[in-house]
Amino acid sequence: LSTKVKTAIESFAEDQYDISVATHQKADVDSFTKNLRAEQIQAVLSKGETIIMCSEFADLPAALKCEECMDFFSLEGFQKCHASGKRRQHH
């Protein structure tokens, strides 16, 4: 993701420089960030079923797997599920 953002920013900066030289106008950063965010959302949505969801919060994508539980969790889900009891000792 960071490489994609870096590439997009570099491309935007080059394009905006060329446009600003030709038109003598400043770049519109707000529209750039809006377009970039839309592209990021589309990239996530296009992955479809390959996204593993959190076993604790079904609407959040998993960010890690607990090797003891063998379940996938978002950061919030891991903290909630592993806050007390036997799972508290899991890493």
Side-chain angles (χ1 to χ4, degrees):
L1 180 62
S2 62
T3 303
K4 192 172 193 175
V5 171
K6 181 182 175 188
T7 303
I9 290 171
E10 288 173 352
S11 175
F12 174 76
E14 291 173 7
D15 292 345
Q16 291 306 310
Y17 177 77
D18 293 340
I19 292 169
S20 66
V21 167
T23 62
H24 305 290
Q25 294 180 351
K26 289 185 177 182
D28 181 11
V29 177
D30 291 333
S31 67
F32 169 72
T33 55
K34 186 184 234 180
N35 289 339
L36 182 60
R37 182 70 178 144
E39 288 178 18
Q40 290 172 337
I41 291 170
Q42 187 59 38
V44 170
L45 294 177
S46 68
K47 289 185 179 183
E49 298 296 320
T50 60
I51 297 174
I52 299 171
M53 302 309 282
C54 176
S55 61
E56 193 66 31
F57 298 108
D59 56 336
L60 295 177
L64 55 94
K65 178 182 178 184
C66 177
E67 293 299 325
E68 285 95 11
C69 300
M70 299 303 286
D71 283 330
F72 295 92
F73 297 94
S74 63
L75 296 177
E76 299 88 348
F78 184 86
Q79 289 173 348
K80 178 184 176 203
C81 188
H82 292 79
S84 62
K86 293 180 182 179
R87 291 187 174 191
R88 187 175 195 158
Q89 302 301 320
H90 295 182
H91 301 281

